[in-house]
Amino acid sequence: MNGSRKLSSQEIAATLRDRIRGGDLRPGERLPTQAELAEEFGVERGTVRQALRALQDDGLLSNVSKGSPPRVAEVGHSAGHEPQPTMVGLGPRLSEAFSAPHVRVDAACLTAETLMLALGEPVRRIHEGTIRPESIDVRILLPSRKINLAFPVPVEGRGEDDEEDPVHKRWLDQRNAQVRVLRHNLQALRTSHKLDVRVTFRALPFTPPVKLYLLNGQEALIAYYMLMKREEQMADGPLEMYDAFGTQSLLFSFEKGTGPRDAAFVDQSQQWFNALWETITTDLTLS
């Protein structure tokens, strides 16, 4: 962008803001480097840095630091860490994580539904060739089939034997189907793209009150399950139950590079998961 007058940082910020809001720069996408932006706008790097910091203050950019291209913030992923529905926030964050050469995803949740659906985007990008990690290691903690779940449960109470509880059976069938699909989609990358893929499931001895996702040790995403009373049509007729809608839970993101509190939360969450993973030695069974 050439002209007789050099642009101010406010004008550069306004141009980039228009690109973000107009969709030319999408959520999760990295901007050009400061050097590239300085060349494009015909200004010094210091002017570019001022513009980027202004956009970060507006909540439109994250990870603004010298030497590292910033990233367009996800909807709701601003300086105030506004939450967003899990299905909106998790997919883009996974795609970003899968852009790394060595991918590590750790998760603890009630079912694998949200993760199974959100992984569709990075798997698609691997198939189309836009990203190609060297290795993928996914570790997932899900409730054991043998425990009395805190939710979902029938409104009228459960039977003495969980195996006869239609709500428990429905949850178990869904859990098992989601595990099979998730595992198949990831392990298929071994054959199709010769990637080093490991997918491991272990059985939690309790019902997790939250869902937690840890991405490459750099980001922690957490959502609190919110219970709702609803009616489900079962084989024997309608059944009222208390259930949690995980895909609609609000997801909070904490990322290293956005502040010491976020970094501490990521580290503590990773330490908690690692300790729990080492304590639990029972693999998840689908039979």
Side-chain angles (χ1 to χ4, degrees):
M1 186 176 294
N2 298 317
S4 58
R5 182 182 65 86
K6 288 190 174 181
L7 297 175
S8 67
S9 62
Q10 292 87 349
E11 291 172 315
I12 295 173
T15 300
L16 294 175
R17 187 180 291 109
D18 288 342
R19 293 178 185 177
I20 293 171
R21 291 175 175 170
D24 295 324
L25 291 170
R26 296 176 298 176
E29 183 177 348
R30 287 199 178 277
L31 268 66
T33 64
Q34 292 181 12
E36 291 169 336
L37 290 173
E39 182 178 356
E40 176 187 351
F41 291 107
V43 297
E44 301 295 328
R45 291 191 189 185
T47 304
V48 170
R49 282 197 291 273
Q50 292 177 19
L52 297 179
R53 287 170 184 156
L55 293 175
Q56 179 174 251
D57 291 340
D58 290 343
L60 296 176
L61 296 180
S62 63
N63 196 35
V64 174
S65 60
K66 185 176 181 180
S68 176
R71 183 170 54 227
V72 179
E74 304 294 340
V75 177
H77 184 74
S78 64
H81 294 293
E82 293 288 336
Q84 57 190 132
T86 303
M87 279 306 301
V88 176
L90 184 58
R93 314 307 304 140
L94 280 172
S95 290
E96 179 68 22
F98 270 66
S99 299
H102 301 286
V103 180
R104 160 63 67 81
V105 176
D106 294 330
C109 35
L110 180 66
T111 71
E113 180 182 15
T114 305
L115 186 59
M116 176 194 71
L117 296 172
L119 278 170
E121 177 62 15
V123 169
R124 181 190 66 79
R125 293 184 62 193
I126 291 174
H127 284 305
E128 72 179 13
T130 56
I131 58 175
R132 184 178 175 82
E134 297 175 21
S135 65
I136 302 171
D137 189 0
V138 178
R139 303 186 299 177
I140 303 175
L141 290 167
L142 294 170
S144 166
R145 63 175 297 155
K146 298 180 180 180
I147 68 171
N148 290 328
L149 289 173
F151 53 85
V153 293
V155 171
E156 298 299 327
R158 66 175 78 246
E160 295 182 0
D161 186 353
D162 279 345
E163 296 295 329
E164 298 177 359
D165 181 350
V167 175
H168 186 275
K169 183 179 185 304
R170 168 185 166 276
W171 163 81
L172 184 61
D173 290 343
Q174 290 179 338
R175 187 207 70 172
N176 291 349
Q178 293 155 9
V179 165
R180 290 188 178 98
V181 171
L182 189 154
R183 183 164 54 192
H184 170 78
N185 290 345
L186 288 176
Q187 290 182 343
L189 297 173
R190 293 177 181 170
T191 303
S192 62
H193 292 76
K194 309 300 181 184
L195 301 184
D196 179 13
V197 178
R198 290 187 296 172
V199 187
T200 313
F201 297 87
R202 288 187 180 171
L204 277 174
F206 58 86
T207 307
V210 300
K211 53 171 57 183
L212 174 69
Y213 306 101
L214 299 165
L215 310 181
N216 295 334
Q218 296 298 308
E219 185 170 13
L221 301 108
I222 187 170
Y224 294 87
Y225 286 115
M226 301 298 293
L227 296 186
M228 300 178 65
K229 182 180 179 181
R230 67 186 190 87
E231 186 177 275
E232 179 78 8
Q233 190 66 34
M234 311 295 285
D236 297 332
L239 178 65
E240 285 190 316
M241 67 182 71
Y242 294 111
D243 200 0
F245 290 87
T247 58
Q248 300 176 25
S249 299
L250 291 180
L251 191 70
F252 295 80
S253 174
F254 302 85
E255 185 177 2
K256 287 187 175 180
T258 59
R261 291 185 178 179
D262 278 34
F265 184 85
V266 174
D267 288 339
Q268 291 168 6
S269 298
Q270 189 67 66
Q271 292 170 9
W272 174 85
F273 185 93
N274 290 342
L276 189 58
W277 184 266
E278 293 302 322
T279 301
I280 298 173
T281 59
T282 305
D283 290 336
L284 200 73
T285 58
L286 303 184
S287 58

